[in-house]
Amino acid sequence: MIGVFDSGSGGLTILNALKKQLPNQKFLYLGDHGHAPYGHRSNEQIVALTRLGVDHLMHEGCSLVILACNTAAAIALRTLQQEWLPTEHPEKRVLGVLVPMVEAITNVPWAQQSPASHPEDNKQNKQRVLLFATSKTIESGAYVEEIAKRAPHVELVQKACPGLVDAIEGGAGTAPLQGLINGYISELDMYGIETAVLGCTHFPLVEKLFKAALPDTVKLYSQADIVASSLKNYLERHPEFISADTPSTTLLTSGDPRIVDRVSKRLGVNEQSFIMYQ
Ligand code: DGL
């Protein structure tokens, strides 16, 4: 069984794409709604909460867990992979959403880093890519660092979107959400920007509002499709993680299932009810 973890409802955008590309798999989703958003928490809290969630998914029978949360992946993934998994669940794996995104943005496979100097690495040829994410993901520097190693000609223009995850989780209406998004974009210098990344799994839930605020010429990467293709490729290389169980999807939450259900259904992202987990 494949586990999918997020601080709340955002990871459902990844789950939907996974279900489409891997229709024969069994999925268990865990939204830590009781502690969302992670963007306001300390790194220590994010690591501890992510570890608890992943541990729960693994005890429920997941052999592979996707951190469908950029914030958790940026802050906690490395610690979990290096310091926790080898002793607690040595035969299991945790993967994140940053690696497939960095590969897609740079066009360079993760294992293969570019040389320090790149022929296109000069001011005139800089390719400007816009990244919208939580303040925590941006402060971590993870995207900038990994992109710079592989594609120095890519200039990442980062824009933190404080309050957006809270507004989405809180079930805010279209007008206030659009107001927030317009505000972030109005502060940006859009010169030379042709592509943008919604680097928080909650943001595709309001993708239409981002599109409405951005110039028509800006193309959005689909993190969900990119992550799903990457997982499909991973499973082809690691068939031991393919589940033989009957395909199904179960949703768990640490929050109030009734509220979460209401928000998620309104967003049109889940067809099944959340079950409480403690
Ligand atoms: N969906 C999470 C992400 O991708 C939101 C983080 C939060 O809870 O602040 O970053």
Side-chain angles (χ1 to χ4, degrees), residues 17 24 43 64 154 165 206 210 241:
N24 297 323
N43 288 3
L64 175 68
V154 174
V165 173
V206 288
F210 272 97
F241 294 112

Side-chain angles (χ1 to χ4, degrees), residues 6-8 10-11 36-40 68-72 97 134 137 165 199-202 223:
D6 182 43
S7 61
Y38 280 9
H40 302 313
C69 175
N70 290 265
T71 309
V97 287
T134 63
T137 298
V165 173
C200 168
T201 55
H202 281 73
Q223 184 172 48

Side-chain angles (χ1 to χ4, degrees), residues 130-150:
L130 183 53
L131 171 74
F132 295 102
T134 63
S135 308
K136 207 75 197 174
T137 298
I138 286 178
E139 279 162 27
S140 79
Y143 272 106
V144 175
E145 197 185 306
E146 298 300 345
I147 288 171
K149 277 193 239 167
R150 294 165 178 81

Side-chain angles (χ1 to χ4, degrees), residues 2-14:
I2 297 174
V4 181
F5 176 82
D6 182 43
S7 61
S9 307
L12 293 171
T13 58
I14 302 283

